[in-house]
Amino acid sequence: MSFNVAISQRIDMIEGYNEVRDSLDREWYSVLQDLCPPETNVFPVPNVEELCVEFLRVIEPRMVVLTGGNDIFATDEGSLPVGFRNAVEGQLLSYAVEHKLPVFAVCRGFQFVNAYLKGEMHRVSGHVASCHELFSPSDRTGMPVCLVNSYHNFGVSTEELATDLLPVLLDCDGNVEAAIHDFLPWVGIMWHPERKCRDRLASDWLRDQISGILS
């Protein structure tokens, strides 16, 4: 039986063409083929709210992925209409709740899950195009768990994390870099598995987490 995955897309404004496009890094197909069952099919979801429900009805996804890119509030992106994406990702999460589907949320996707669950966020600096270590909040030795990339303008502190989410990995400033849902099969991370600067330990950790929410 095929394993269909519904994955959200970023919105890009294409200067010179007066076009707003949905886009998805091709690396995502390789990432999900590695993390998911061999029979996985990846279906990018268009950022058109009125088409989303019918799209999901047709493909019958068994997992939802929310990708990165675009700040939720479009603070640094002028007139970019991220509201369309927010509406679609809200429908994806509601569908996942209704059908008890696993959710894998990355960077902006994790921020959106946190906001969907009534959490908050704050602006951070020095987190774009950089790499940094992550730590376990339960490990008192202070030893890093792994090294990851970073491409975000906003972070989520432990105090801002939604009450239904549990922090699993933190950066050195105490911002949540990975969290799991308290009772739903959802996992969110702040780094980009489709981009460089990710070590084997981070890949192994993520593979274990995805295996857990799919089991």
Side-chain angles (χ1 to χ4, degrees), residues 155-188:
V156 177
S157 68
T158 53
E159 292 78 15
E160 294 170 323
L161 192 66
T163 56
D164 286 338
L165 295 177
L166 306 175
V168 181
L169 294 175
L170 308 176
D171 68 12
C172 63
D173 295 319
N175 295 307
V176 180
E177 290 275 331
I180 58 174
H181 198 285
D182 189 26
F183 53 89
L184 295 174
W186 293 13
V187 59

Side-chain angles (χ1 to χ4, degrees), residues 3-154:
F3 186 88
N4 294 345
V5 175
I7 184 170
S8 70
Q9 302 183 79
R10 65 178 293 143
I11 293 180
D12 289 318
M13 186 79 73
I14 309 302
E15 296 184 7
Y17 287 88
N18 194 31
E19 291 181 358
V20 178
R21 299 179 184 175
D22 295 336
S23 63
L24 182 69
D25 189 337
R26 289 171 58 89
E27 284 296 316
W28 266 110
Y29 297 96
S30 298
V31 168
L32 292 176
Q33 287 292 338
D34 178 57
L35 293 175
C36 298
E39 62 273 17
T40 294
N41 301 306
V42 181
F43 291 89
V45 181
N47 287 302
V48 183
E49 183 179 3
E50 57 268 29
L51 298 180
C52 188
V53 172
E54 180 64 13
F55 186 90
L56 295 173
R57 186 191 68 80
V58 171
I59 69 170
E60 296 183 335
R62 299 173 64 188
M63 179 180 180
V64 168
V65 177
L66 301 189
T67 61
N70 304 134
D71 292 328
I72 292 177
F73 304 111
T75 306
D76 299 319
E77 302 176 69
S79 60
L80 198 61
V82 296
F84 294 127
R85 180 176 180 181
N86 291 345
V88 166
E89 292 190 337
Q91 288 189 333
L92 289 174
L93 291 182
S94 295
Y95 185 91
V97 171
E98 179 183 357
H99 295 273
K100 299 180 175 60
L101 297 182
V103 171
F104 174 34
V106 169
C107 197
R108 189 239 200 230
F110 169 52
Q111 296 170 4
F112 189 85
V113 165
N114 189 55
Y116 179 87
L117 298 173
K118 311 305 182 185
E120 299 179 357
M121 68 183 79
H122 65 280
R123 180 173 284 278
V124 295
S125 60
H127 283 262
V128 177
S130 63
C131 294
H132 59 80
E133 295 174 326
L134 300 186
F135 304 86
S136 168
S138 61
D139 186 356
R140 298 182 179 275
T141 67
M143 294 294 293
V145 174
C146 58
L147 179 73
V148 298
N149 58 39
S150 185
Y151 292 91
H152 51 268
N153 295 308
F154 292 87

